[in-house]
Amino acid sequence: MGSSSSKKETSAEQKRAEDKKSVERSDSSLSPNIRVEIIMLGLYLDCGQQELLQRFFAEPVASCDFKQKIITVKSRRVQLQISSWFGTGSIGSAGSYKTDGVCMCYDVSKRETYDELDFRLDGVIKRSRERTKEKSLQVLAIKRDVDSEIVVDSADGHRYAQHMRKLCSFGEDPLPEVGFHEVTTTTDYESFYKLLMQMVADILKRKHNIDLDISNRSDDSTFN
């Protein structure tokens, strides 16, 4: 009797698993016709972007790893791919020239993560010089704990954003403004959400001539 009941429960669990896979396949079949690729760059200690991405994807994110998620921005479905790259090695070509957006990350409590930003940026410029103006370029200052000592202040972050704009501007046409953002991983996930939304909107406008006003966040602009 017990064996029969156990078999029924196992069968029910298998059916639920199959139903779930069917739903996932159905959802993936509604593939959006626009794909956006973003890379987040930091130094060896992991500047905090890993924690933010793990919350976003609801699963672990390793260095040099990339994950995808279908999002809806103003009723438009977009396939968003985000790569996280932190470590002492130089960034690979596949992780720079193909991306639509670059977010330079540093930990406000560790000066070395700020001082090494140019090393990371240099790899992006060398491998995607002709496409730099097409990218959404951002600087993200991350505070990993509310009690962390701040050794790199907001003024430093704004200065680097201006510096990054100059380094990435080629020819006579200046690069559009490079954004500067601040977030605390433990208490301020909303700011990270807004940053990603802004990057996606910038990329859609630059690459696809799709102008989305996300100044006022609406219910249909969500990460599914």
Side-chain angles (χ1 to χ4, degrees):
M1 186 76 174
S3 176
S4 176
S5 175
S6 177
K7 289 181 179 179
K8 288 181 179 179
E9 290 177 359
T10 302
S11 178
E13 290 178 359
Q14 291 175 341
K15 186 177 186 305
R16 283 195 294 270
E18 291 174 357
D19 290 343
K20 181 179 179 181
K21 289 181 180 179
S22 177
V23 171
E24 291 174 348
R25 285 195 296 269
S26 175
D27 180 66
S28 62
S29 67
L30 300 174
S31 300
N33 58 6
I34 295 178
R35 178 175 176 174
V36 170
E37 298 182 27
I38 293 172
I39 187 169
M40 301 185 70
L41 303 176
L43 191 59
Y44 61 93
L45 296 171
D46 169 28
C47 303
Q49 75 270 27
Q50 185 181 24
E51 297 165 39
L52 295 167
L53 291 174
Q54 284 181 171
R55 181 171 176 182
F56 175 62
F57 288 107
E59 60 183 19
V61 176
S63 175
C64 312
D65 193 11
F66 72 88
K67 295 188 179 296
Q68 300 181 17
K69 197 169 191 176
I70 294 178
I71 67 173
T72 304
V73 184
K74 294 292 184 179
S75 300
R76 186 179 294 273
R77 287 168 63 82
V78 177
Q79 181 178 327
L80 175 62
Q81 175 179 306
I82 303 180
S83 302
S84 177
W85 193 289
F86 54 92
T88 54
S90 178
I91 179 174
S93 60
S96 57
Y97 78 90
K98 291 183 179 179
T99 57
D100 304 304
V102 177
C103 184
M104 308 296 294
C105 306
Y106 67 90
D107 185 335
V108 298
S109 67
K110 295 180 172 63
R111 185 80 195 186
E112 62 270 29
T113 64
Y114 176 85
D115 293 338
E116 289 292 328
L117 287 176
D118 273 358
F119 171 72
R120 289 286 182 227
L121 183 61
D122 185 59
V124 175
I125 294 175
K126 285 181 178 178
R127 294 180 172 88
S128 59
R129 183 184 181 101
E130 73 283 355
R131 287 198 56 211
T132 303
K133 290 184 179 180
E134 299 176 13
K135 299 180 185 295
S136 174
L137 302 179
Q138 310 291 329
V139 177
L140 179 61
I142 302 174
K143 188 178 182 182
R144 304 185 72 171
D145 189 275
V146 291
D147 297 323
S148 297
E149 179 185 4
I150 298 177
V151 297
V152 185
D153 60 23
S154 298
D156 289 325
H158 283 290
R159 275 193 293 272
Y160 190 81
Q162 295 172 1
H163 169 69
M164 184 176 177
R165 184 187 185 192
K166 291 180 181 178
L167 288 180
C168 296
S169 293
F170 305 109
E172 298 180 358
D173 297 328
L175 190 74
E177 193 73 24
V178 173
F180 171 66
H181 312 265
E182 298 173 295
V183 62
T184 301
T185 59
T186 55
T187 62
D188 192 23
Y189 179 71
E190 181 70 14
S191 293
F192 181 62
Y193 172 95
K194 290 179 179 179
L195 166 60
L196 292 180
M197 292 287 286
Q198 185 60 59
M199 292 188 75
V200 170
D202 287 348
I203 292 165
L204 292 181
K205 184 174 182 179
R206 295 183 194 192
K207 287 192 65 178
H208 304 281
N209 199 29
I210 299 174
D211 195 354
L212 299 178
D213 180 11
I214 62 168
S215 56
N216 294 316
R217 176 179 163 185
S218 63
D219 292 337
D220 67 347
S221 296
T222 59
F223 291 105
N224 299 323

